[in-house]
Amino acid sequence: MNTRFAIRTILILVTIAAVVAAFFAARHLPARQDDNSAVNRFYWHDYSNGVAKQRRESGWEYQGKINGLGSCVVLHHSNSEHEKYGQHGGYAVAFQLPLDVVEGDQLTLLPIPATRSGELHPHDRRFTLMLPNEFTATTFGDHFGSITAGSDIRESSVAVKKMTNEHVILHVQIDVSIPEYYDLKLDRDFTIRRVPSDDA
């Protein structure tokens, strides 16, 4: 009788110890990353000017930003699962807004003119500053492309719905063709973190 009681007690204690060990292991091990999770990098850069690089067929794509008198907005979305399996993986849209934009403004966005000469840099790359209300759009994944001179621009506008010192809420409508296979269509609100110029 005492032997049975001792065996049961040991089994109960071992089970409790295993449950406690599993609980602590689950809390302290790094969480498994979801391959299908999207990564969004949405930024409003105060006192900055977007810089674009010329691509083939007289298209321009966003390259970065410098300090300037305006606000450069970047909407970058990617999905690693889609890119892994060769699907349309994401997009990057950047647009330059004037410094005096305020809540309630609605602005039409225009692509950087294909005829702009830009400034020549090494490796035969041309760069240009983005002017107020200009934008670029790029898709990537199994296909990498940007709006070009031949792209159909069906809709390109931004409405400033709310502005605080930390965030801006924008409604962005972009409907453009990206040669040769994809269209990029956005019609939604974006809550965007404001990045002060000294953090840019």
Side-chain angles (χ1 to χ4, degrees), residues 69-80:
L69 295 177
S71 297
C72 180
V73 179
V74 180
L75 309 175
H76 186 281
H77 165 85
S78 62
N79 191 315
S80 58

Side-chain angles (χ1 to χ4, degrees), residues 102-158:
V102 295
E103 191 172 301
D105 282 353
Q106 182 157 354
L107 306 166
T108 298
L109 302 175
L110 300 171
I112 300 169
T115 55
R116 185 176 296 167
S117 60
E119 184 179 336
L120 185 62
H121 281 255
H123 309 295
D124 294 327
R125 297 288 179 91
R126 291 188 180 273
F127 295 83
T128 185
L129 291 178
M130 296 172 65
L131 300 180
N133 298 4
E134 288 185 340
F135 82 106
T136 66
T138 301
T139 58
F140 47 88
D142 64 336
H143 169 74
F144 186 94
S146 301
I147 54 173
T148 66
S151 291
D152 185 11
I153 314 294
R154 293 175 287 271
E155 178 67 48
S156 52
S157 64
V158 59

Side-chain angles (χ1 to χ4, degrees), residues 30-44:
R32 182 180 177 276
Q33 186 164 349
D34 182 5
D35 289 334
N36 198 33
S37 63
V39 176
N40 295 316
R41 293 189 291 276
F42 304 149
Y43 295 110
W44 171 297

Side-chain angles (χ1 to χ4, degrees), residues 165-179:
N165 291 333
E166 292 80 28
H167 294 89
V168 180
I169 299 177
L170 301 177
H171 187 84
V172 177
Q173 288 185 272
I174 299 288
D175 185 358
V176 299
S177 63
I178 304 286

